[in-house]
């Protein structure tokens, strides 16, 4: 962790330039998940879970809003750059990109989704099963473009990143009565883990061998949740995240034993985000408990807009960009932590 402690804001741009870049065995980054890794697929969806407007993207290339829920890039963009592949990972549904772009990396993620199909239905976004269908379509296009042998080589050497689960609890289990009436929280965790197991197995059967699956963040400390709880973290939510993450780690161990040739790793985002939130100044941040956009208490998506006069001037002084999502600087730190730890074996 010494490499990321005490980072003054003025050095952030320089620090980006020194992101460890390697020309590795990984040929491509393929992403599934929610808003933590969605670079703009929801732009093509009839949903309120969108961010393709200002001030989103104010620190992105050309200050362009892309549909990323951030002031700039997201963690998967930095991971791709760290592997020496490209500086961004495009959205599969973005009409500005084609199969030649997607050969080096693509995201099927959709903001607002989860492992539970009910979660995606709440926000009218892309469910995980549909993301898998898009992946199959992508595989077919790769075969046509590059031929069977070359396409198979690219897809088998790609790194597959999976990041979702927060919405299943925040937007579904704790927000609506349907799942709470059917499951205790422990049972719902197990329900989601069955979904995770099935998804990883499906990816494996489609040829994926290098897979990283992320755990839950300290979701009780998201600014939106703090706002609901006298501006302090909701300990119950953080406990559930830790409990779920322990079960997910065991699932990863089991699948590595069951699926021959798989390299499946658990990505611990809870610890690094918890460290940043509890010690923001140690990472070069000024504000950790509320977000930059608008009042920083409850706004995201359309409530985080260019007409709100309260948005901060320098987003990367803040741990969070909007009330649910990290700033670009936080995304960078999380990505660097993953590259130095969880993903180091793939470099």
């Amino acid at each position: 962790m010494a490499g990321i402690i005490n980072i003054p804001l003025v050095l952030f741009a320089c620090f980006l330039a020194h992101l460890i870049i390697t020309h590795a065995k990984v040929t491509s980054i393929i992403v599934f998940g929610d808003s933590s890794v969605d670079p703009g697929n929801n732009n093509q969806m009839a949903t309120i879970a969108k961010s393709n407007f200002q001030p989103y993207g104010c620190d992105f290339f050309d200050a362009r809003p892309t549909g990323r829920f951030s002031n700039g890039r997201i963690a998967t963009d930095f991971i791709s750059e760290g592997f020496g592949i490209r500086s961004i990972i495009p959205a599969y549904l973005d009409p500005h990109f084609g199969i030649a772009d997607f050969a080096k990396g693509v995201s099927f993620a959709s903001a607002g989704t989860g492992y539970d199909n009910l979660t995606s239905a709440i926000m009218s976004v892309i469910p995980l099963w549909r993301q898998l269908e898009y992946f199959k379509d992508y595989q077919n296009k790769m075969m046509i473009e590059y031929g069977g042998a070359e396409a198979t080589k690219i897809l088998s050497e790609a790194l597959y990143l999976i990041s979702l689960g927060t919405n299943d609890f925040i937007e579904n289990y704790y927000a609506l009565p349907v799942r709470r009436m059917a499951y205790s929280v422990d049972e719902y965790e197990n329900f989601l883990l069955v979904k995770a197991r099935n998804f990883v197995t499906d990816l494996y059967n489609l040829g994926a061998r290098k897979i990283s699956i992320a755990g839950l963040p300290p979701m009780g400390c998201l600014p939106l949740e703090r706002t609901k709880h006298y501006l302090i973290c909701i300990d119950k939510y953080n406990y559930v995240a830790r409990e779920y993450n322990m079960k997910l780690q065991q699932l990863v161990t089991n699948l590595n034993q069951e699926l021959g040739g798989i390299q499946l790793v658990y990505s611990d985002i809870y610890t690094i985000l918890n460290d940043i939130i509890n010690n923001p100044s140690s990472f070069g941040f000024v504000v950790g408990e509320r977000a930059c956009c608008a009042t920083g208490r409850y706004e995201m998506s359309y409530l985080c807009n260019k007409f709100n006069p309260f948005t901060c001037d320098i987003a990367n002084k803040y741990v969070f960009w909007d009330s649910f999502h990290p700033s670009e600087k936080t995304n960078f730190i999380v990505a660097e932590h993953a590259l130095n730890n969880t993903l180091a074996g793939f470099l």
Side-chain angles (χ1 to χ4, degrees), residues 135-324:
F135 174 67
K136 293 176 184 176
D137 179 62
Y138 162 74
Q139 281 186 310
N140 291 334
K141 290 177 180 177
M142 287 286 289
M143 295 290 181
I144 294 169
E145 182 73 15
Y146 294 100
E150 182 63 18
T152 299
K153 182 175 185 292
I154 293 170
L155 294 170
S156 64
E157 293 181 355
L159 174 61
Y160 295 76
L161 304 178
I162 304 168
S163 177
L164 71 167
T166 303
N167 294 315
D168 290 310
F169 290 97
I170 299 299
E171 305 295 341
N172 185 349
Y173 189 83
Y174 287 117
L176 300 172
V178 178
R179 292 305 190 213
R180 288 202 311 277
M181 292 175 65
Y183 302 97
S184 68
V185 68
D186 181 69
E187 291 169 340
Y188 190 62
E189 291 167 9
N190 296 336
F191 170 81
L192 297 180
L193 289 162
V194 170
K195 301 284 188 181
R197 166 186 276 276
N198 292 342
F199 185 73
V200 170
T201 303
D202 287 342
L203 277 182
Y204 174 84
N205 290 334
L206 289 169
R209 290 298 179 267
K210 304 171 184 178
I211 306 173
S212 171
I213 186 167
L216 296 176
M219 55 190 182
C221 291
L222 299 174
L224 179 64
E225 302 313 310
R226 285 182 187 244
T227 300
K228 301 174 185 176
H229 196 245
Y230 311 106
L231 305 184
I232 60 175
C233 296
I234 303 178
D235 291 337
K236 177 176 70 173
Y237 289 5
N238 286 349
Y239 174 82
V240 168
R242 293 193 299 270
E243 186 176 63
Y244 172 89
N245 289 345
M246 289 179 62
K247 294 179 181 180
L248 182 60
Q249 290 176 70
Q250 185 58 54
L251 175 61
V252 166
T253 299
N254 294 344
L255 288 173
N256 275 315
Q257 295 171 350
E258 296 170 17
L259 302 177
I262 197 172
Q263 293 176 266
L264 176 64
V265 298
Y266 164 76
S267 182
D268 175 18
I269 61 172
Y270 186 101
T271 301
I272 182 62
L273 277 174
N274 196 53
D275 287 347
I276 296 170
I277 291 167
N278 288 321
N279 305 285
S281 62
S282 296
F283 293 84
F285 294 102
V286 177
V287 182
E289 77 284 356
R290 61 183 173 85
C292 165
C293 193
T295 66
R297 297 298 185 190
Y298 63 88
E299 298 92 345
M300 61 177 170
S301 189
Y302 287 105
L303 292 178
C304 172
N305 59 65
K306 65 181 180 181
F307 302 108
N308 197 303
F310 299 109
T311 298
C312 76
D313 293 325
I314 304 176
N316 287 321
K317 286 184 177 180
Y318 289 70
V319 174
F320 290 95
W321 160 247
D322 67 17
S323 66
F324 210 82

Side-chain angles (χ1 to χ4, degrees), residues 116-136:
D116 187 346
N117 288 336
L118 177 59
T119 304
S120 57
I122 292 168
M123 300 296 287
S124 299
V125 296
I126 307 169
L128 196 55
W129 66 265
R130 174 62 70 185
Q131 293 185 32
L132 194 67
E133 291 301 309
Y134 282 137
F135 174 67
K136 293 176 184 176

